Structure formats: structure tokens, C-alpha cells
Amino acid sequence: MNSPMSDPAFWHRIQFAFTIIYHYLFPQLTMGLIGFIVFWKFKALRSGNPRYATAARFWTKIFGLNFAIGVVTGIPMEFQFGSNWAAFTRYSGEIIGQTLAMEGMFAFFLESAMILALVFGEKRFSPRGHFLVSLGVAIGSWASAYFILTTNAFMQHPTGYTAGADGLLHLQSFGQFLFNPWAIVEFAHNQAASLVTGAFVVTSLGAFYMLGVRHHDQARLYLKYGAAVGLFASVLVAFPTGDRQAKMVAKYQEVSLAAMEGRFQSGPEAELVLIGQPDVQNRKLDNPIIIPEALSFLAYGTFHSDVRGLGAFPENVWPGNIDLLYYSFHIMAGLGTLFIVVMALAVVYLLIGRLESNRFLLWVLMLAFPFPYIANTAGWMTAELGRQPWLIYGLFRTEQGYSKAATSGSTVFTLIGFCGLYLVLGFLFFYLIEREIEQGPEDEGD
Amino acid sequence: MRVIELWYAILAFTLIVYLMLDGRNFGVGAIQRAVAKTPAERRQLALALGPLWPWHEVWLVVLGGVMFVAFPRVLAVSFTGYYLALYLVLWSLILRGIALEVTGYDEHPLWQEFWDFVFTASSVLLAILFGVALGNIARGVPVGPSGEFQMPFFTNFRTSGQVGLLDWYTVSMALFTLLALSAHGATYLTVKTEGPVCDRSRRLAHKLWILFCPALAAVFAETWIIHPNLLSGIGSRPLAIAPIVVAIAGAAMIARGLKYHRGGLAFTGSWLLLAGLLIAGAAAMFPTMLRSTLGDSNSLTAYNSAAGPTSLKVAAIWWPVAVALSLGYSLFILRQFRGKVPAGR
């Protein structure tokens, strides 16, 4: 009787989760890649060396395809707030609407005016003018991230609001809302992670061309900058940004931290779990491999700090899906650690001049590109599953937020529609990307 | 309370700018088959759309943002109520955007034929859907005492009580919108293209604008039948009369521009005509935003749906700054893409 599928909220959540996860596969690459493109266009402008211009031109085509899918899958996101989460929209709309509208007006306007000029209009601009166009796209896409992460930060840790007598939230301090400390940490962590995706993709293609003995000069360029940025960004994701993010969760979402770690009992000198399977029914963790006292240190800065477990909180504030939350967090953190190792190895071999001849490492780099996507997705699942059962943490529950007037039948219908449409988009994307990679950077006419 | 009126005006402005800008692209898509006969001509058409069509589409996102920040209740009620229609719009926009993006990536004739068809079909559907939306705004929707509604695509095709998305009035508004945007798009092509495409566009624009006159009279008459107060509202409000005068001037400019082959004049006239009619409609509606067909007391108005004063004031500070910046970027880009698109190789 009480299957989750008979609950309308289930379908609204699945649709939002599916469409947002799919959408974010594209912006995480474009936000990372645009950094490479701007940098190479700058080098080309300064040095006049055509290899940088060729690199920027090739990656702009990859960027353009990703951007196109990112845009078309992004537009439904904003509109789903109104259609599927009407009660949430009404409750907090005038606050989160600020940043959602600012994203459109300050970020999307800039990106959308520049994007086709960036991808198709190089000949119409001077090199300096076209560099400015790429800079405009870069600023637009990173500003967009800030606005949308501020919106998310309000849901994670609301600030700058007041609860009105009409039962709705009202804006009290625009500054406190826009510069929510959670938003700043989340932005730094997320943008570093998007650079990781960009760097792994650039490195992967460099390794692919190197192993296939094609486009040798370009391949060297991709390996060099991909590995350097990859190492830098992978370290940034862990420290200081990931560390600060974890401390924020420990401070404001204590129960989520317990669930992320599969920690049921409270106590000092809390251990950090590396591997293990949570057993929520019996409130224990099976097959644990741990680092003693590390969780206390990471969360609160001393090895003997008390870290409360799930048992210390009533079950109605536990995150709804503890198993998935636990695995999401551990997959993200585990992959994040491996990224540092892989990129550090690549940089060491680069420095001693042996990377190009180390076929094993090139194979690893070539095959590694899907993992940052998995880590980014798992990270977002950690953030959003950890926020449950709240839509706005401590204020408004997820089950209160969906559109009561929209029927489950309609939601299932639109979810099926999205599945079909996005499947087609996926095939189309792979076909077009494969063509670009096959054609490669050097063969194009000028 | 003046800030609420300001936000009603901003919302109307955003909606009208979106419809005029992207409506031009829908119009070009709808008449693609009629004015571009060869693959080369269809490429010429795609180039004539220019580099800013994504920027046009963002005006729709901004429209959502303005509703969010200023009238969250209207956003919540209408998007839930129009649930299926909204998704048809979103999916059509996805297909339209993809078609425009990917057609040029592959030279294969079947690839091009397929995506040209998708572009035309999604453009026609979007023009129709936005026409239905305008019809629904004028006619009203079944908002009940709970302040919500959920509307099927169709009920009994009548225009009062438990109405559906489609009835005789909204369907005729949809066809009228398709006609108006096709004429608007054809007029644009006379400015932006050369050669046979330009000649065909001019002849088509001429025909469509002649058809537009009786169609407009018919839509006025129908609106008089279903909502007499809306038209009498125009007569008593200076803010609604002025745009009607502008619209008439626009019509004269279209006639003169098409006759003397002055595309720029005709296209400016097309803007003034359509925007004038829409502004007059918005001014006559005020303060109603979602009219209820189940009794006026259920209607959502600017006053009973607006956000709190702090929110409206804060947003009124950054909004004009953002619009000015946006116009700056678009002009910077357009300057590099000015001039007509020549007939293809």
C-alpha cells in the first residue's frame, strides 16, 4: 500500500533529479573548458604561436556542442519550480526568485549574446575582440554558477529571510542572502570540481591522440596543461574547499554528517569510514574499514571532539535515503582522492619528461575521463540527499513543496517524455562529438 | 504601492519583448518551406536568423525570473495549471534549439532535410502554443476558490465555466498568432536577405499582412464576445489608447515599406504594430493577471499576488542595470554581424 511510487512527491522528485543530473553533465564540462579556452586564446594573443589558437579553436567546437545541450536541458529546470514545486515557489519565491532572475539577467544574457559569436564568428572579430567574446562567455558561465548555487545555499542553510504573518518567507537582507557563507564555500568547491572535469577531459583526449600517434603537438599541449590544471584543481576540491564544506555540514546539518558517514552511535574520537555497508534497520555499519579519530578532527578540528550519530536525532529529521547518501558521499570522496593521485603521477612524469613514453599512464589518463562526472554527480547527490527531509533546511519539508494541483499522471507522462527526448539528445551528442574528435584539431581549414 | 504597478509593467515588457524577438524566429521557421526552396537557400535563412537567437530565448527565462521574484503566486498557480502545455513549450524549445545548433554540423542532405523539418515543425508549434497562451490570458482560466486550477487540453470548447486550454476562442487566437508571427518573420527576411529568398519573402509578407487585416478584425470581434470589459477598458485608459495609435502608424509603415522595397521601414512597422497591440492588451488587463472563469473574486491580480515590498524594491534596483548591460552586449555582437546575408553558393 505505502509504496513510495503511490506518493505524488516521489514522481516530482524523480523528474527533478533526473533532469538536473542530466543537465549538469554538460555545464560541469563547459565551465571547466572555458578556462582552458580563455587561457589558450590569451597565449595565442601574446605569443602569436598558432598552436594555441588551434587548441582554442578545437576546444571551442567541443565546448559549443556541450553548451548547446546544456542550454536546452537547462531551460526546463527553471520552469519546473513553478510547474512541479508550486508550493515551494509560493513559499520562498520572492527570495530564491532574486537569484534565479539574476542568473537570467546577469549571466544568461551575457553568455547567450556571446556564444554563437564564440563558436562560429571568429573571422568577424579581431583576435582581441574574439578573446573578449570568450572572456564574456567565461564570466557569464561562472556568474551563472554563483547565482544558482546561492539559490541552492538558501535551501541548505537559509539566511537573510524573515517568516511573514502570511505564512510565506520574505526577503529581509539581500546582502545576507546573496553572500550566504554556505554559497561562497559551495561555489568554490563546485567550480574547482568543474575544473577537474574539464582537465580530465582535456588530458584524456591528449592521451588518446598521443596513444594513436595523431596530432602530436596538440596532444602534448593538452597533456601538459590538462595535468597541471588537473592536479591543482583536484587538490583544491579536497582542500581547502571540500574541508570547509564538510565543516559547514558538521556545523549546520549535523544529522546529515552522521548519515553520510553511516554513524549511528554518538561519541568522542569518531572514526572516519573508508569502506563499509550501512545497515539502517539494525543501526550498524557492516565490514567497516576505518581511520580512528579522523572524523572528529575533520569535522571539528580536534581528535577527541564528540560527533553525534543518527541515534541522537529523532527519525523524522533523518535524511530519507541514508544508504544512497552514504554511498554518494563515499564515492565522491574516494574518487576525489584518486584524482589527486593520478594527476600527481601525471605531473611527476611530465616534469621528468617521461609522460609521453609511459603508455600505461597514458591509458589510465585516457580512460579516466568519466570519473569526474561520476564524482560531481555523487557530490551533488550528497548535498541534496543530505538536505532531506527538508526542502529549505529546518523551515520547509520536501513533502510540503510539490504542486498539489498537478496529478501524478501528468508527472509520469512528462518524466517519460524527458527520458525519451534526453535519450535522443544523448545519441546525437555522442555522434557529433565523435565526428569532432575524429576530425581532430589540425585538419580544419582556416 | 507604486512598485507593484512598476513590476506589472516590467513583466508585460519582458513578455512582449520575448514574443517579438523569438516570435520573429518562429515566423521565419514557419515560412521556411515557402521562401527557401534549395538547401543553400535554407542555409541562407539560418544565417539570417543571426547570432543572437539564444539571447532572444533568454528573454523567456528572464520572464520566468521576473514572475518568480515579483509575482511568485502567479508563477506557481499558472505553471501548475498549464502543466502539460508548459511541457509542450519546453520540449518544442529543446527541439528548435537543437535543430538550429546541429543542422550545420553535417553536410549530408538527409541530415539537413530532417533538421530543417524539425525547425519548421517546432517553430509552428511554438507560435501556436504562445497564441493559445495569449488566448488563455484574455479568456481566463478556471481558478477556483482555493486559488488554484488544473486545466485539461480541452473540455467542451466553450469559453466559460470549466474551460480547457483549447476552445474556439483560444484556437482562433493561436491561428491569428501564427499568421502574425509569420508575417513578422517574412518582413524580417526582406531586411536581412538578398536574392530570390528576399523576393519571395516580400511577396509572402505582402499576402500575409493583407490576410492579417480581416483576421485582426475577427479576433477583436471574438474578444468583444467573450470579454467585453477588456475592449471597453482600452477606451477609458490613455495607456491603452496610445499604443493603439502606435500600432496604426506601424501598419502604415509596413504598407509603405513593402511597396517601396524599404525592408527596414516595414520591419520597424511590424514591431510597432504587434507590440502596440500587445501593450494595449496588457494595459487594458491591469491589474488582472490570471482571470478566473469561475467568478472574478477568484482572479489573481497584481495586488493580491505580488511579492513583499523589500523584494520588489531590491529587484527594481538591479533589474534596469541588467537590462542596460544586456543591450550593450547584444549591440557589441550585432555590430559585427550587420548587413544582408547574400544568396548561398
Side-chain angles (χ1 to χ4, degrees):
Chain A
M1 283 304 288
N2 260 340
S3 129
M5 290 195 191
S6 61
D7 178 5
F10 174 81
W11 295 104
H12 290 292
R13 288 179 67 185
I14 288 286
Q15 176 170 306
F16 203 93
F18 171 65
T19 51
I20 192 72
I21 286 172
Y22 191 95
H23 167 65
Y24 194 62
L25 295 175
F26 301 95
Q28 63 175 288
L29 178 65
T30 53
M31 288 190 300
L33 267 190
I34 192 68
F36 285 90
I37 292 170
V38 169
F39 176 72
W40 280 327
K41 287 185 90 70
F42 179 73
K43 293 278 278 186
L45 210 56
R46 290 291 297 272
S47 70
N49 188 336
R51 69 196 293 240
Y52 296 112
T54 301
R57 204 172 292 131
F58 172 71
W59 283 103
T60 298
K61 287 197 283 184
I62 305 289
F63 176 90
L65 282 170
N66 278 277
F67 191 88
I69 311 273
V71 169
V72 298
T73 57
I75 288 177
M77 299 319 308
E78 188 195 18
F79 289 89
Q80 282 186 71
F81 283 104
S83 57
N84 297 73
W85 297 94
F88 168 55
T89 298
R90 190 142 177 223
Y91 179 69
S92 62
E94 68 165 72
I95 298 175
I96 61 169
Q98 296 279 348
T99 36
L100 288 172
M102 288 174 90
E103 185 189 25
M105 302 213 51
F106 287 104
F108 292 159
F109 265 150
L110 177 57
E111 283 180 289
S112 65
M114 305 283 166
I115 180 63
L116 292 186
L118 175 69
V119 179
F120 299 109
E122 189 178 353
K123 290 186 203 108
R124 291 190 180 254
F125 292 85
S126 66
R128 188 178 296 273
H130 204 243
F131 168 72
L132 285 179
V133 167
S134 71
L135 199 60
V137 173
I139 293 170
S141 62
W142 280 54
S144 158
Y146 187 75
F147 289 122
I148 207 68
L149 293 178
T150 308
T151 312
N152 183 259
F154 183 78
M155 296 159 71
Q156 300 282 357
H157 174 55
T159 53
Y161 70 93
T162 168
D166 52 6
L168 309 177
L169 296 186
H170 294 285
L171 185 66
Q172 187 173 47
S173 163
F174 184 59
Q176 279 177 25
F177 165 64
L178 193 61
F179 302 109
N180 185 341
W182 192 293
I184 292 162
V185 172
E186 192 174 355
F187 178 71
H189 189 53
N190 188 69
Q191 297 313 95
S194 80
L195 274 176
V196 171
T197 301
F200 269 83
V201 168
V202 168
T203 317
S204 168
L205 201 57
F208 175 64
Y209 287 149
M210 190 63 78
L211 286 167
V213 200
R214 285 193 293 165
H215 314 296
H216 187 257
D217 180 60
Q218 288 288 305
R220 294 176 80 170
L221 199 63
Y222 304 164
L223 284 171
K224 178 179 162 191
Y225 288 103
V229 174
L231 178 60
F232 174 69
S234 301
V235 171
L236 272 188
V237 167
F239 189 86
T241 68
D243 176 59
R244 290 291 297 276
Q245 183 75 59
K247 287 190 165 66
M248 283 258 179
V249 171
K251 188 168 172 192
Y252 298 111
Q253 299 185 354
E254 235 186 315
V255 56
S256 306
L257 181 73
M260 280 155 62
E261 274 294 300
R263 182 174 176 79
F264 292 94
Q265 271 77 44
S266 305
E269 290 156 18
E271 67 278 12
L272 186 74
V273 176
L274 295 183
I275 298 177
Q277 292 79 36
D279 177 354
V280 177
Q281 256 106 41
N282 299 309
R283 300 199 173 192
K284 63 187 180 63
L285 190 78
D286 295 335
N287 317 314
I289 297 177
I290 58 159
I291 306 178
E293 302 179 24
L295 181 62
S296 288
F297 178 74
L298 288 175
Y300 299 110
T302 70
F303 289 105
H304 50 79
S305 303
D306 183 38
V307 179
R308 292 203 281 170
L310 283 161
F313 302 90
E315 287 196 20
N316 71 353
V317 299
W318 286 16
N321 199 332
I322 290 167
D323 307 316
L324 195 57
L325 171 57
Y326 168 90
Y327 288 120
S328 301
F329 175 63
H330 282 81
I331 288 169
M332 172 193 76
L335 286 175
T337 311
L338 286 177
F339 295 159
I340 298 175
V341 174
V342 169
M343 281 302 183
L345 271 176
V347 167
V348 167
Y349 274 85
L350 203 62
L351 288 176
I352 60 173
R354 297 266 182 83
L355 182 58
E356 289 171 32
S357 54
N358 188 332
R359 287 187 73 84
F360 178 75
L361 192 51
L362 288 177
W363 269 99
V364 170
L365 289 172
M366 181 178 85
L367 295 177
F369 79 89
F371 293 98
Y373 288 97
I374 295 171
N376 265 284
T377 305
W380 271 107
M381 287 174 66
T382 307
E384 302 310 294
L385 290 166
R387 177 168 46 78
Q388 304 303 326
W390 303 100
L391 222 170
I392 305 174
Y393 208 84
L395 291 177
F396 191 74
R397 285 178 168 264
T398 305
E399 71 217 20
Q400 294 170 275
Y402 67 89
S403 303
K404 307 295 182 295
T407 61
S408 299
S410 298
T411 318
V412 174
F413 175 77
T414 52
L415 176 60
I416 292 170
F418 273 117
C419 289
L421 193 53
Y422 283 9
L423 187 69
V424 173
L425 285 187
F427 284 129
L428 192 63
F429 175 77
F430 280 122
Y431 168 69
L432 292 169
I433 283 287
E434 200 273 335
R435 279 174 60 96
E436 293 300 333
I437 291 173
E438 211 37 55
Q439 197 186 345
E442 284 157 343
D443 310 337
E444 61 192 271
D446 221 10
Chain B
M1 280 293 112
R2 304 241 63 103
V3 72
I4 292 181
E5 281 111 52
L6 174 69
W7 277 101
Y8 182 90
I10 289 177
L11 183 66
F13 171 82
T14 314
L15 173 65
I16 291 166
V17 169
Y18 172 69
L19 286 177
M20 298 303 301
L21 288 174
D22 216 6
R24 184 202 89 182
N25 305 327
F26 303 155
V28 170
I31 62 169
Q32 170 176 240
R33 305 247 124 191
V35 298
K37 305 289 185 191
T38 66
E41 288 177 354
R42 285 197 281 277
R43 293 284 63 74
Q44 185 190 3
L45 215 68
L47 286 175
L49 285 179
L52 283 185
W53 70 262
W55 183 77
H56 299 162
E57 198 171 276
V58 168
W59 281 91
L60 181 67
V61 176
V62 166
L63 176 71
V66 168
M67 284 173 80
F68 224 122
V69 75
F71 302 102
R73 186 179 165 207
V74 176
L75 179 81
V77 171
S78 62
F79 282 18
T80 306
Y82 291 124
Y83 190 91
L84 290 174
L86 178 82
Y87 278 97
L88 284 185
V89 170
L90 294 174
W91 294 342
S92 304
L93 282 172
I94 289 177
L95 291 174
R96 193 274 304 252
I98 289 295
L100 284 175
E101 290 282 353
V102 306
T103 317
Y105 271 93
D106 195 325
E107 301 284 320
H108 198 289
L110 292 183
W111 175 268
Q112 306 234 334
E113 192 177 343
F114 176 75
W115 290 110
D116 283 338
F117 172 78
V118 173
F119 175 48
T120 299
S122 53
S123 297
V124 168
L125 194 58
L126 282 162
I128 285 176
L129 285 164
F130 281 104
V132 169
L134 290 176
N136 272 270
I137 291 172
R139 179 206 59 191
V141 289
V143 181
S146 68
E148 291 180 344
F149 72 99
Q150 173 68 45
M151 196 165 53
F153 274 114
F154 48 85
T155 51
N156 51 12
F157 285 89
R158 299 218 187 97
T159 57
S160 58
Q162 285 294 349
V163 293
L165 191 72
L166 303 175
D167 61 35
W168 60 266
Y169 176 72
T170 59
V171 168
S172 58
M173 273 296 274
L175 297 175
F176 173 70
T177 306
L178 178 61
L179 172 67
L181 293 180
S182 299
H184 188 53
T187 312
Y188 171 71
L189 289 176
T190 68
V191 185
K192 198 63 190 175
T193 59
E194 286 176 345
V197 171
C198 181
D199 296 334
R200 282 188 216 114
S201 299
R202 189 178 303 109
R203 284 197 296 275
L204 183 65
H206 195 78
K207 281 185 208 150
L208 291 173
W209 284 119
I210 287 175
L211 263 178
F212 178 85
C213 298
L216 180 65
V219 162
F220 261 108
E222 289 177 7
T223 306
W224 181 266
I225 294 169
I226 64 140
H227 193 176
N229 295 341
L230 190 63
L231 290 189
S232 54
I234 292 181
S236 58
R237 293 177 184 198
L239 270 176
I241 297 174
I244 293 280
V245 175
V246 169
I248 293 168
M253 287 162 74
I254 296 172
R256 201 175 159 77
L258 288 179
K259 188 171 173 192
Y260 295 105
H261 291 207
R262 288 170 59 194
L265 181 71
F267 188 58
T268 310
S270 175
W271 252 89
L272 294 180
L273 170 59
L274 298 181
L277 292 173
L278 288 166
I279 294 169
M285 288 278 295
F286 182 82
T288 305
M289 301 186 77
L290 267 187
R291 180 180 179 234
S292 172
T293 54
L294 303 177
D296 277 342
S297 59
N298 296 333
S299 296
L300 270 62
T301 69
Y303 297 111
N304 71 18
S305 305
T310 313
S311 183
L312 293 179
K313 279 176 197 150
V314 166
I317 294 167
W318 57 253
W319 199 87
V321 177
V323 170
L325 283 172
S326 176
L327 293 175
Y329 319 135
S330 65
L331 289 177
F332 168 71
I333 296 298
L334 272 187
R335 232 163 47 95
Q336 307 298 326
F337 287 81
R338 60 178 176 258
K340 288 175 183 284
V341 178
R345 305 153 267 135

